[in-house]
Every structure is written in structure tokens, then in C-alpha cells.
Amino acid sequence: MMTPSLPRRLAAEAVGTALLTAVLIGSGIRSAALSPDGGMRFLANVLASVLALAVLIALLAPVSGAHLNPLVSAAAWWTERRGGAGLTLRELGGYVTAQLLGAVAGAALANTMFERPVLELSGRQRSAGHLWLAEAVATGVLVLLVFGLLRAGHGGWAPVAVAGWIGAACWGTSSGSFANPALTVGRALSDSYTGIAPGSVPAFVLAQCVGAAAGLALLAGLFGRSRDRDRVPGDARELLVAGAPDR
């Protein structure tokens, strides 16, 4: 199977991130409108989001790798930077740009579907040390999980495993597990249940970056150096094969 062209891969990343953002924000808006119970709101929002994440990874992995997250793309570049099998710096820049644009488009889509202003800055302040720690933990384990699966030859489990971790981390961390700079930016553009104030975004993203670095350090410690099976688009053939578990 030939690696899809870069424009196709960037389109997949933009579309996938937009749809994930739209479901995340939209399900938050709907759950807040339907239930006064905070637990039910959160449960509905998390369930819709992890289902969308699993489906989008399974659908788009053969095209772009379905990173849908700038830090996953950065980790893909980092783990294969010496072997030449992963993303180039130019491709990494394209992936990150596509993901950020997709998140903005997804926020606009969700707001529009629920008859809100197309883009509106969130007023939900999320700024505290325990939240930053939670973001570092959620993101670090995410990076460890994705690339640990690849090193173990179980990349096909990623749709279920990644969605499972994000769902667990949403409940098990104080921040709600944003774990994604692009989605964090998108959530800042909807003044709704899942929002985050723009002033809270830089610290959240910095914590996510620290967590991703820690995840890569754990990856090296637990799994050793990268091997050929770590190839991530660039070489989409070696990544998440349509969600089919290895046998």
C-alpha cells in the first residue's frame, strides 16, 4: 500500500480534528441543555467524545495515521527523526497547522449547529497547579500508550485503547483530560460546557508538552529505542490498520 499524498493526509487530519472537536463541544452543549445533573452531563459528554475518537481513528488511520493531536504528531517525528521513516519537519508543520485549523472549524461547526455565535471566547477559567499536573499525566500516558502499542506490534488496538484511556482519564484526572493542544484551542472558542478561557490555554498547552516529553522518556525506558514498526505517517502503512486488533 502506497503512502497517501501529503495533501490527502493533511485533509484527513483537518477533517478528523474538526469532527472530533465538533462532537466534543456539541455533546457538551446538548448535555448541559438536557440535564441539570453534573454527573450525567459529564458522562454524556465523555461517552460521545470517546466514541467519536475511536471511530475517527479507525476511519482515518490508513490515510494519515489519525494523529488528531499536535503532540502525537510531534512524538511521531521525534521517535523516527534519525531513521527517516516518520514525519519530516515540513510534514510535522503541515500536520500541526491542519489540526489547529480543524479544531477552529470544528468549534465553529458545533456553535453553529446549536445556534450559538460562530466563534465565541470561553469564560471558563481553568488555571491551577493541580489541573496542569493532571494535563501532564493525561498527555504523557497518551503518548506512552500510542507509541508503546506500536513498539509492541499492537497498533491495531489503538482505536479502542486510545479512546479507553481518554475516557478513563476524563474521569480520573482533575482537568478532565484535554490532552491535546488543538482541542484545547478549539474549546477556547466556544463559551459552553466544555470551554476553557483563552487565558488558561497557554499553561494547559505547556503542561501537555511537558507530559508528552515525560511520556517519550517513559517509552524509551520501558520499550527501548524505536524500531521499524514505529513508522508513523509519513509511512501510514505501519500505523493503525483500520482498528483491526492483531491476532
Side-chain angles (χ1 to χ4, degrees):
M1 175 180 176
M2 293 184 60
T3 300
S5 66
L6 182 59
R8 285 178 57 198
R9 285 184 276 148
L10 297 184
E13 288 296 305
V15 170
T17 309
L19 292 175
L20 181 59
T21 305
V23 170
L24 172 66
I25 293 174
S27 62
I29 295 172
R30 179 172 290 280
S31 64
L34 291 178
S35 175
D37 183 88
M40 288 302 298
R41 290 180 179 184
F42 193 61
L43 177 62
N45 182 226
V46 170
L47 180 60
S49 299
V50 299
L51 288 174
L53 180 59
V55 168
L56 289 169
I57 291 174
L59 174 66
L60 298 175
V63 182
S64 69
H67 299 177
L68 313 181
N69 185 331
L71 291 177
V72 172
S73 297
W77 167 75
W78 179 262
T79 55
E80 285 294 341
R81 67 196 185 282
R82 294 190 181 94
L87 295 175
T88 65
L89 274 175
R90 172 175 169 267
E91 290 171 329
L92 173 60
Y95 267 55
V96 172
T97 300
Q99 291 154 359
L100 289 171
L101 291 175
V104 173
L109 176 61
N111 288 334
T112 302
M113 288 193 295
F114 287 91
E115 297 184 300
R116 304 174 72 92
V118 176
L119 293 175
E120 51 179 355
L121 298 181
S122 174
R124 295 176 67 91
Q125 297 293 330
R126 301 177 189 260
S127 182
H130 67 284
L131 300 180
W132 303 332
L133 174 61
E135 280 301 291
V137 171
T139 310
V141 176
L142 174 64
V143 169
L144 175 63
L145 172 64
V146 170
F147 294 93
L149 285 172
L150 290 172
R151 295 218 177 156
H154 299 307
W157 285 101
V160 172
V162 171
W165 167 247
I166 291 300
C170 284
W171 283 96
T173 65
S174 58
S175 67
S177 182
F178 286 41
N180 185 328
L183 292 189
T184 304
V185 170
R187 290 167 74 150
L189 300 176
S190 180
D191 191 18
S192 58
Y193 178 73
T194 59
I196 178 173
S200 299
V201 168
F204 256 57
V205 172
L206 178 59
Q208 292 160 0
C209 292
V210 171
L216 286 172
L218 281 172
L219 178 73
L222 295 174
F223 291 90
R225 294 185 177 276
S226 64
R227 304 187 300 187
D228 287 344
R229 67 178 48 158
D230 287 333
R231 294 175 184 171
V232 184
D235 193 346
R237 294 169 299 178
E238 298 287 338
L239 194 61
L240 319 169
V241 185
D246 295 344
R247 297 187 183 275

